[in-house]
Amino acid sequence: MSRNLILAGNWKMNKGPAETKAFLTDLQKELKMYPPCHKEIQEEQLKILFFPAFVSLATARELKETNPQSFWDFGAQNCHWEESGAFTGEVSAEMLRQAGAHYVIIGHSERRHVFGEPDEYMQKKIKAALEQDITPILCVGETLSEHEEKQTFQVVERQLVSALKTFDADRVARDIIIAYEPVWAIGTGKTASDSDAQEVCKYLRDLLARNFNRNTADSVPILYGGSVKPANARGLMAQTDIDGALIGGASLKTDSFLDIVKACLGDS
Ligand code: PGA
């Protein structure tokens, strides 16, 4: 079976509404002038996604809705599992739906390691997102010390199983995206080698097969994230079990993001 390619830009705490508008307007123009990706997008072989800050979601939505031929979609970087209430600073999945988001990143390493979010949160966030028809991208990955202690498989297994254990196989097959993001590779310029990234993504796919079934495992897109750039994107995306990339730094400039798109479509 062939899974589609997903190239997702995680903007983190960058780009307010004005910069979001400038970036997406420019990107839209550039993609229009790059026909090789039109067919891929129309045939749903390629998805281009952006994850702006909460305050920039309305800008992304406006640009998408006023442009009949937008080549991209957007989502949010996090959500809370309750619909509303006394949770200062939080945004619910219900609010994200109202804001037009179709995707949400869950359990990004910065949420886990900078803001101390434990594994138990992820299942609740995923449930809340699914209830609003928002597709969660569940991030898993080991820290540098876990990597050095050869704990990678145990860590990603614990993170994946605890986040997905209450969902049935059909739901996971239809509505979940996974991103393997080794923490030591995020924003460091160090990337996992093609074969190491493939090995962990294959481990995750086999884990899905063991916990659900082979059809589910073959349906779930598994992305790689961690210092993806134009020079390494093609090799990573050529791996059997890597279906796309979650891109931080290199998604902030139109040129480098487009160069990744072109490299992945075999045009460098
Ligand atoms: P990076 O970030 O591409 O800047 O390493 C990836 C991510 O955090 O999703």
Side-chain angles (χ1 to χ4, degrees):
M1 65 143 304
S2 81
R3 288 173 298 269
N4 307 335
L5 177 66
I6 299 175
L7 297 175
N10 172 16
W11 288 350
K12 312 191 180 190
M13 200 171 74
N14 294 288
K15 297 193 194 297
E19 290 160 289
T20 296
K21 184 170 182 184
F23 178 99
L24 291 173
T25 307
D26 194 28
L27 181 93
Q28 179 76 23
K29 211 165 60 206
E30 295 287 343
L31 288 176
K32 249 188 202 147
M33 294 186 318
Y34 183 59
C37 77
H38 299 177
K39 188 165 159 282
E40 307 270 331
I41 290 172
Q42 265 152 22
E43 291 177 0
E44 297 189 3
Q45 296 300 313
L46 167 66
K47 271 199 181 94
I48 293 179
L49 308 177
F50 292 104
F51 292 84
F54 290 134
V55 293
S56 299
L57 293 177
T59 306
R61 181 187 204 167
E62 198 184 308
L63 283 168
K64 192 168 164 49
E65 287 181 353
T66 52
N67 201 318
Q69 205 192 9
S70 67
F71 295 104
W72 47 271
D73 204 347
F74 68 97
Q77 299 171 15
N78 185 23
C79 71
H80 195 274
W81 56 87
E82 294 289 347
E83 269 190 22
S84 60
F87 301 101
T88 302
E90 292 290 321
V91 172
S92 69
E94 144 84 22
M95 292 168 180
L96 294 182
R97 184 189 50 75
Q98 287 182 35
H102 294 137
Y103 298 85
V104 63
I105 298 174
I106 302 289
H108 187 274
S109 79
E110 284 142 25
R111 298 303 320 167
R112 294 179 190 265
H113 300 294
V114 181
F115 298 100
E117 293 192 4
D119 286 347
E120 306 84 85
Y121 283 10
M122 308 317 161
Q123 182 274 339
K124 297 195 266 190
K125 290 177 186 234
I126 291 173
K127 181 166 179 285
L130 291 175
E131 280 168 4
Q132 301 299 328
D133 287 329
I134 294 174
T135 303
I137 301 184
L138 170 69
C139 299
V140 298
E142 80 286 7
T143 62
L144 181 60
S145 60
E146 289 164 340
H147 182 72
E148 287 169 349
E149 285 158 21
K150 307 211 176 317
Q151 296 290 309
T152 300
F153 294 138
Q154 286 96 315
V155 171
V156 297
E157 177 159 352
R158 189 198 71 227
Q159 291 173 334
L160 184 136
V161 171
S162 67
L164 297 185
K165 64 180 178 220
T166 56
F167 303 106
D168 67 39
D170 286 351
R171 196 79 215 246
V172 173
R174 228 180 24 242
D175 294 324
I176 301 280
I177 298 174
I178 292 176
Y180 168 54
E181 297 209 304
V183 182
W184 50 269
I186 296 179
T188 58
K190 289 185 206 146
T191 321
S193 68
D194 296 349
S195 57
D196 286 353
Q198 159 62 18
E199 194 186 6
V200 181
C201 291
K202 180 176 186 319
Y203 184 84
L204 291 167
R205 200 174 300 288
D206 290 343
L207 187 60
L208 289 169
R210 280 202 312 267
N211 280 266
F212 299 99
N213 57 51
R214 186 37 75 180
N215 177 48
T216 296
D218 287 341
S219 305
V220 171
I222 302 181
L223 317 184
Y224 168 80
S227 296
V228 173
K229 36 188 181 270
N232 60 24
R234 191 167 176 182
L236 286 160
M237 296 310 110
Q239 303 304 308
T240 319
D241 289 291
I242 301 181
D243 308 312
L246 188 52
I247 309 152
S251 74
L252 293 172
K253 295 243 158 53
T254 331
D255 287 357
S256 53
F257 187 80
L258 273 170
D259 284 348
I260 291 176
V261 174
K262 290 178 182 173
C264 293
L265 296 186
D267 186 4
S268 41

